[in-house]
């Protein structure tokens, strides 16, 4: 593998790509703590925790993302990051608000969906129990 000044980073959500492009530095947080990565970092895989992910682009600009749990895979000069949820912010203060709005709304929708699913499952169990009862003539 040759030395490089950049790595190609792709940040993927389940439905779309949140970021794709070259970066000179990456900062993220795994289950065992925060870490930084440069383009010639050793290849590895790690699980990410809900946190802030910071990418430094070639021109020195920083891109800041609020991310949910996910996985990071670095192979060669390619870094693929797959996350459940993520948002980009212009600074840490606005990112906090954006994460709060985006993630809390989704959490509420998930709670409602899980509640509906639980009611459906309970209804199916009751119907199966009714089918097993002996019928009286």
């Amino acid at each position: 593998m040759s030395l490089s000044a950049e790595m190609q980073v792709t940040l993927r959500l389940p439905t779309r790509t949140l970021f794709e492009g070259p970066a000179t530095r990456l900062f993220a947080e795994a289950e065992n703590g925060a870490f930084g990565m440069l383009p010639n970092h050793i290849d590895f895989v790690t699980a990410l925790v809900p946190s802030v992910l910071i990418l430094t682009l070639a021109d020195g600009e920083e891109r800041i993302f609020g991310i949910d749990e996910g996985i990071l895979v670095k192979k060669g000069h390619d870094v693929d990051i797959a996350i459940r949820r993520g948002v980009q912010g212009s600074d840490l203060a606005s990112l906090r608000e954006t994460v709060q709005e985006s993630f809390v709304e989704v959490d509420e929708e998930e709670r409602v969906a899980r509640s509906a699913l639980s009611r459906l499952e309970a209804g199916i169990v009751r119907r199966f129990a009714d089918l097993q009862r002996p019928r009286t003539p």
Side-chain angles (χ1 to χ4, degrees), residues 65-80:
F65 301 90
I67 64 167
D68 199 353
E69 60 194 16
I71 190 158
L72 179 145
V73 178
K74 177 172 185 311
K75 184 173 185 222
H77 299 301
D78 295 326
V79 180
D80 285 314

Side-chain angles (χ1 to χ4, degrees), residues 23-127:
T24 59
R25 204 173 350 185
L26 178 146
F27 176 82
E29 189 171 338
E31 293 175 333
N32 58 347
F35 65 94
M37 180 185 300
L38 298 172
N40 299 302
H41 194 283
I42 190 167
D43 294 352
F44 77 100
V45 175
T46 189
L48 300 176
V49 296
S51 59
V52 173
L53 176 107
I54 302 172
L55 296 175
T56 303
L57 307 182
D59 63 3
E61 177 189 357
E62 284 190 340
R63 298 278 179 98
I64 303 170
F65 301 90
I67 64 167
D68 199 353
E69 60 194 16
I71 190 158
L72 179 145
V73 178
K74 177 172 185 311
K75 184 173 185 222
H77 299 301
D78 295 326
V79 180
D80 285 314
I81 305 167
I83 53 176
R84 282 186 55 212
R85 297 180 290 198
V87 293
Q88 184 173 351
S90 55
D91 57 44
L92 288 174
S94 66
L95 182 63
R96 181 182 180 95
E97 293 172 18
T98 305
V99 165
Q100 183 73 16
E101 292 169 4
S102 300
F103 290 10
V104 169
E105 286 174 10
V106 171
D107 286 342
E108 180 62 21
E109 290 171 3
E110 284 181 8
R111 188 191 62 74
V112 169
R114 286 188 183 132
S115 176
L117 184 60
S118 293
R119 287 192 303 274
L120 286 170
E121 289 171 345
I124 290 170
V125 169
R126 277 194 303 276
R127 287 189 180 108

